[in-house]
Amino acid sequence: MEKESHFFIFCFCLFICFKTIATEAHANGFTKLFVFGDSYVDTGNRNFSARSWNQPYGITLPGKPAGHYSNGRVFSDYIASWMGIRSPTPYRWRKMENTSLECGMNFAFGGTGVFDTLVSAPNMTIQIDLFQRQLQKKLYTKVDLNSSIALVSLAGNDYTAYLARNGTTEGLSAFTKSMIKQLGLNLQRIHGLGVRKIAVMNIQPLGCLPSETISDLYKNCSTSGNSVSLFHNQVLEKTVEKLNNKSKESVFVILNMYKAFLSALKKQASQPGTLKFKDPLRPCCEAVSTGYKCGNTEDGKRMYVVCNNPNSTFFWDDVHPSQAGWRAVYLALKSSAYSLALM
């Protein structure tokens, strides 16, 4: 059964590779993507006990669970598509027979953060350690790194862990500053290892996640939740500005996920190629009662329900966008000045 799963993963990667390369050329000379972070960009690093390997994840693409926290593609897949390369191989599958590492490598693990969180998986510092070991093995040259982008998605799970560990509202701003200070050190380290451009995702509007809006029947975003995001993003912006001033070039680029999420959620289908979501704050996959999540089962019974058309929803589950949601975010970033030099 495990060999069959391995073969399936390999075939799925080939599918993404051929579809991507057939549709786009290499963007701006970038040929490799190295991914660090959490479930927004993880493409299969978590073990089979993670819900990303449970039904109904992957129901749209490739048709069965493949380690992506959505019904299909996640954000890193779209960045790879923009670059004209296949989505990089997850670190976990790097030694699989016939696996190609020529497009980079994905070190992201769902549920992780800048610091240790509530899951037993590598935090950002350890993910960078894993990357450094690959460089020590000479898997990538200086030329490779000079034509590479690092994509970083982290912070949401750090806040979840902070609150779960009885963190206070009064101490939240100090926690944010300490987390972003460490994030800044990590970004510098990635650049110091030779990566040419580093794109760091700021934090999405936390108050608009279904886990927050469910209390209001998915009608409105939480102002308090979004205020956490806004403060986080302000501190991050100042940190990245200092890093760029220090490097004397725009190495570090912020991808404005906050603005892109809101834009996608409010989008009216008035422009060609844009998407409109009828009930944007309601997820496609919902738990049937408190204490359960999408993908959970009990005594063989599904403890969730799935909408008829995942492509019509922005959110897939309680915190993750659907494939269509991620596409809308990507399109919002691609057409926005906030994408800066990267897009």
Side-chain angles (χ1 to χ4, degrees):
M1 181 67 179
E2 189 170 345
K3 288 185 178 179
E4 181 181 345
S5 297
H6 288 186
F7 180 72
F8 170 74
I9 294 295
F10 176 61
C11 290
F12 180 51
C13 287
L14 284 180
F15 170 78
I16 294 295
C17 176
F18 292 147
K19 185 174 182 62
T20 300
I21 292 175
T23 56
E24 300 207 32
H26 292 314
N28 299 323
F30 294 112
T31 60
K32 287 175 176 55
L33 177 63
F34 297 102
V35 184
F36 305 89
D38 52 26
S39 54
Y40 276 14
V41 292
D42 181 4
T43 54
N45 275 318
R46 287 294 302 276
N47 58 37
F48 290 124
S49 65
R51 60 172 170 157
S52 57
W53 292 102
N54 294 345
Q55 296 285 356
Y57 289 82
I59 192 173
T60 300
L61 183 76
K64 61 188 291 188
H68 291 55
Y69 286 81
S70 81
N71 59 309
R73 292 183 174 90
V74 294
F75 187 65
S76 51
D77 294 317
Y78 284 101
I79 292 297
S81 178
W82 166 77
M83 292 174 64
I85 63 174
R86 71 168 175 82
S87 197
T89 299
Y91 170 80
R92 181 183 178 189
W93 305 103
R94 70 195 185 285
K95 294 183 179 179
M96 184 177 166
E97 186 178 358
N98 296 322
T99 295
S100 172
L101 304 178
E102 66 179 12
C103 297
M105 196 176 295
N106 188 321
F107 299 92
F109 285 76
T112 62
V114 175
F115 300 133
D116 288 338
T117 58
L118 303 179
V119 302
S120 180
N123 62 26
M124 186 180 185
T125 298
I126 298 176
Q127 290 177 24
I128 299 172
D129 290 342
L130 298 176
F131 174 50
Q132 187 170 5
R133 289 174 197 168
Q134 308 315 304
L135 301 184
Q136 291 169 345
K137 293 176 182 178
K138 309 297 183 184
L139 285 181
Y140 301 102
T141 66
K142 289 184 178 181
V143 174
D144 291 332
L145 296 175
N146 194 47
S147 62
S148 67
I149 291 174
L151 175 65
V152 177
S153 168
L154 286 164
N157 296 312
D158 287 290
Y159 287 113
T160 301
Y162 173 80
L163 295 175
R165 293 167 179 156
N166 300 316
T168 64
T169 302
E170 293 76 15
L172 191 58
S173 62
F175 174 76
T176 296
K177 291 175 182 177
S178 67
M179 175 178 56
I180 293 181
K181 180 180 179 180
Q182 181 59 49
L183 175 59
L185 293 173
N186 290 344
L187 295 176
Q188 284 183 288
R189 185 180 169 202
I190 294 172
H191 179 53
L193 290 172
V195 177
R196 174 181 162 192
K197 180 79 75 173
I198 300 170
V200 56
M201 298 159 60
N202 73 7
I203 205 166
Q204 72 279 13
L206 293 174
C208 295
L209 299 180
S211 59
E212 293 293 317
T213 62
I214 187 174
S215 61
D216 192 32
L217 300 178
Y218 305 119
K219 297 300 181 183
N220 299 290
C221 296
S222 163
T223 302
S224 60
N226 284 353
S227 67
V228 173
S229 299
L230 289 170
F231 180 72
H232 172 100
N233 293 339
Q234 288 172 0
V235 178
L236 177 63
E237 186 174 351
K238 292 179 181 178
T239 298
V240 168
E241 183 179 359
K242 290 179 181 177
L243 291 177
N244 279 327
N245 289 337
K246 185 176 180 180
S247 68
K248 297 181 180 180
E249 53 183 323
S250 297
V251 172
F252 306 94
V253 179
I254 292 178
L255 298 183
N256 196 330
M257 307 307 287
Y258 188 94
K259 184 179 178 68
F261 265 61
L262 291 182
S263 175
L265 287 168
K266 297 176 181 178
K267 181 70 69 176
Q268 301 298 312
S270 58
Q271 301 174 3
T274 59
L275 302 172
K276 181 179 179 180
F277 302 102
K278 183 177 181 181
D279 195 1
L281 299 180
R282 181 180 294 277
C284 175
C285 185
E286 295 183 74
V288 296
S289 63
T290 304
Y292 297 99
K293 292 185 176 183
C294 177
N296 289 166
T297 60
E298 186 174 281
D299 298 326
K301 180 182 178 182
R302 296 178 180 177
M303 304 306 294
Y304 59 87
V305 293
V306 182
C307 67
N308 292 327
N309 182 15
N311 291 326
S312 68
T313 65
F314 179 84
F315 284 108
W316 166 244
D317 61 18
D318 56 324
V319 293
H320 303 105
S322 65
Q323 174 174 284
W326 277 127
R327 179 173 180 268
V329 168
Y330 166 71
L331 291 174
L333 282 169
K334 194 174 182 181
S335 61
S336 168
Y338 286 89
S339 57
L340 302 174
L342 179 64
M343 305 297 283

